[in-house]
Amino acid sequence: MTLFALGLNHTTAPVSVRERVAFGEDEIAETITYLCDRYSRDATGGLQEVAIVSTCNRTELYCAAENLEKARDALLDFICEKKEVQRSELEPHIYCHVDEDAAKHAFRVASGLDSMVLGETQIVGQMKKAEKIAQSAHSLGTHLNHLFQATFTAAKEVRSVTAIGANSISLAAAAVRLALRLFGSLKNERILFVGAGEMIELCAAHFTAQGPKSVTIANRTLERGQALACTLQGEAMALSDLPAKIQDYDIIVSCTASSLPIIGLGMVERAITLRKHRPIFIVDLAVPRDVEPEIDRLEDVYVYTVDDLGKVVNQGMANRQAAMTQAETIIDLRVRDFSEWLRQRDSVPAIQALRDRANYLRDFELNRALRHLNHGDDPKEVLEMLAYGLTNKLVHDPTILLRDGKGLSEEDRLLIERCFSSFYRRFDH
């Protein structure tokens, strides 16, 4: 069984690619079940375990399969088919980490070392959610279960021992910085938040701290929008009212789970005309994007995606380099532990086969001895025969292996000799 992580992220693919292969939270469990059913056969890779992590910065499939190459190709074909993407468009952005490298990648992701915002903590919650979804879909086996537990342990150690998250700038804080560059102050600006999820809550907290003139929440479910607006001392409106009211807002921050853009070119062109070309500042934190890309070409409209904000965030990267080096050292140690666990897992089939063979030989010799006893043979002679026969059969296979040495390296030969030497020393004591 091979463990691997297949995916793309903000360092290998632009948002225009990431948004096309993102999985919504409501489709992940169904997708996992489909993958396990369709690709579990040997011909398609023998896929046994699957978990999916899909955020604005990454889409990754963590898997365990009998045949890595077949499973990898099958999964890429599935993504292309499911998301209507050409293989040639997708493959240049894809990475595939195997066994220890897959573990190291997962540890770095959960620790915030592979994030757009170095040291951010949100990704741990997202990975824990992915684990729970996979668990509910019954796709967590021995390999992925151990991987996730080791991942959360490594991430906790990194955050406890290092200052990796200290002085980090969140995407929300970066958005506020950019808005302040444009407007100077937000005290006279009207802000519209589109969506009412966790990211919008975080952004709202940062923007409202600047004392804007007004705050409005637009959400598909009005009740949820009203609940968030109440905590911000703002107002709420239905998302369907957005086209008629968008011109009233100077700053728009959007992050929904929509699979299609909800802020279109025509909507914003009309708003700019009605505003007599007073600027609009738009932050699109959604993947897939909430804002049509063409809007960025309009004059007096300033659109920033998660990738744009990431560039602002990374300006202070050098100040956190020492913590990052320390975190990498911790992760390397935990990867070494995971590698040892994998090595032990690889030996399980051989150990089981050895035990099965020993049990078979024991039963064979025991039954033969019982037959002799039932025939009235001398018990002492029967016991001697049992001991001699069992010993002969147990040492026969390794003796032939050592004598002939076919396919054995010198290292393998020495290992077998050491095992037997250790075995016999135990009996000497």
Side-chain angles (χ1 to χ4, degrees), residues 42 149 155 201 204 225 254 268 277 290 303 339 393 397:
D42 291 341
Q149 298 315 310
E201 287 188 43
S254 186
V268 177
H277 292 273
D290 283 342
V303 180
S339 179
K393 286 180 171 59
D397 292 340

Side-chain angles (χ1 to χ4, degrees), residues 106-352:
F107 295 174
R108 294 186 80 256
V109 170
S111 300
L113 300 186
D114 196 57
S115 297
M116 187 176 288
V117 180
L118 182 65
E120 59 98 1
T121 58
Q122 190 178 13
I123 185 61
V124 181
Q126 291 165 331
M127 291 190 78
K128 287 183 176 179
K129 185 177 291 185
E131 181 217 18
K132 287 181 179 177
I133 293 174
Q135 204 166 45
S136 68
H138 307 292
S139 65
L140 277 191
T142 303
H143 283 77
L144 286 191
N145 185 61
H146 190 79
L147 173 67
F148 277 111
Q149 298 315 310
T151 295
F152 301 144
T153 299
K156 183 177 181 181
E157 185 175 359
V158 166
R159 297 184 191 283
S160 300
V161 174
T162 75
I164 193 66
N167 303 315
S168 64
I169 304 169
S170 68
L171 293 179
V176 171
R177 284 191 180 186
L178 291 171
L180 289 171
R181 286 182 192 175
L182 179 62
F183 295 106
S185 167
L186 304 188
K187 296 191 182 300
N188 295 318
E189 314 308 326
R190 299 177 184 273
I191 303 179
L192 173 67
F193 295 102
V194 183
E198 185 179 342
M199 182 60 79
I200 288 295
E201 287 188 43
L202 181 61
C203 286
H206 280 76
F207 274 96
T208 53
Q210 299 297 317
K213 187 172 183 179
S214 70
V215 171
T216 302
I217 306 295
N219 195 54
R220 202 174 301 277
T221 306
L222 184 59
E223 292 77 10
R224 186 172 179 181
Q226 289 172 331
L228 178 56
C230 184
T231 65
L232 302 172
Q233 296 182 330
E235 299 177 348
M237 71 177 187
L239 193 58
S240 56
D241 293 335
L242 184 60
K245 296 184 178 181
I246 191 171
Q247 69 273 4
D248 296 336
Y249 301 98
D250 310 294
I251 297 172
I252 301 168
V253 182
S254 186
C255 187
T256 73
S258 174
S259 58
L260 296 172
I262 57 177
I263 300 177
L265 178 63
M267 185 191 305
V268 177
E269 284 179 327
R270 175 178 170 276
I272 283 294
T273 301
L274 292 173
R275 289 171 60 84
K276 297 181 180 178
H277 292 273
R278 281 186 296 118
I280 299 179
F281 177 86
I282 302 176
V283 177
D284 186 358
L285 294 172
V287 177
R289 284 175 286 185
D290 283 342
V291 179
E292 285 189 343
E294 294 78 10
I295 293 175
D296 193 32
R297 303 196 196 106
L298 296 178
E299 291 186 12
D300 304 311
V301 180
Y302 301 85
V303 180
Y304 294 91
T305 66
V306 287
D307 287 359
D308 298 323
L309 296 179
K311 294 172 185 176
V312 177
V313 166
N314 287 327
Q315 289 174 358
M317 181 72 76
N319 298 331
R320 301 189 291 278
Q321 195 61 46
M324 189 172 181
T325 301
Q326 188 181 9
E328 294 282 14
T329 300
I330 293 171
I331 286 173
D332 285 342
L333 291 173
R334 299 290 76 83
V335 169
R336 194 179 305 167
D337 293 341
F338 192 85
S339 179
E340 177 61 21
W341 180 83
L342 281 177
R343 189 191 65 77
Q344 291 174 359
R345 288 294 308 169
D346 287 342
S347 65
V348 168
I351 292 172
Q352 187 59 51

Side-chain angles (χ1 to χ4, degrees), residues 321-394:
Q321 195 61 46
M324 189 172 181
T325 301
Q326 188 181 9
E328 294 282 14
T329 300
I330 293 171
I331 286 173
D332 285 342
L333 291 173
R334 299 290 76 83
V335 169
R336 194 179 305 167
D337 293 341
F338 192 85
S339 179
E340 177 61 21
W341 180 83
L342 281 177
R343 189 191 65 77
Q344 291 174 359
R345 288 294 308 169
D346 287 342
S347 65
V348 168
I351 292 172
Q352 187 59 51
L354 185 63
R355 287 185 174 276
D356 291 344
R357 173 70 173 162
N359 288 334
Y360 169 78
L361 296 175
R362 177 203 63 201
D363 292 343
F364 180 87
E365 289 298 326
L366 181 59
N367 289 331
R368 188 170 71 143
L370 289 173
R371 286 198 301 273
H372 281 280
L373 288 175
N374 290 335
H375 290 154
D377 293 353
D378 183 1
K380 182 179 179 181
E381 291 180 0
V382 172
L383 286 175
E384 288 178 353
M385 178 190 68
L386 171 65
Y388 179 80
L390 190 58
T391 302
N392 241 12
K393 286 180 171 59
L394 286 174

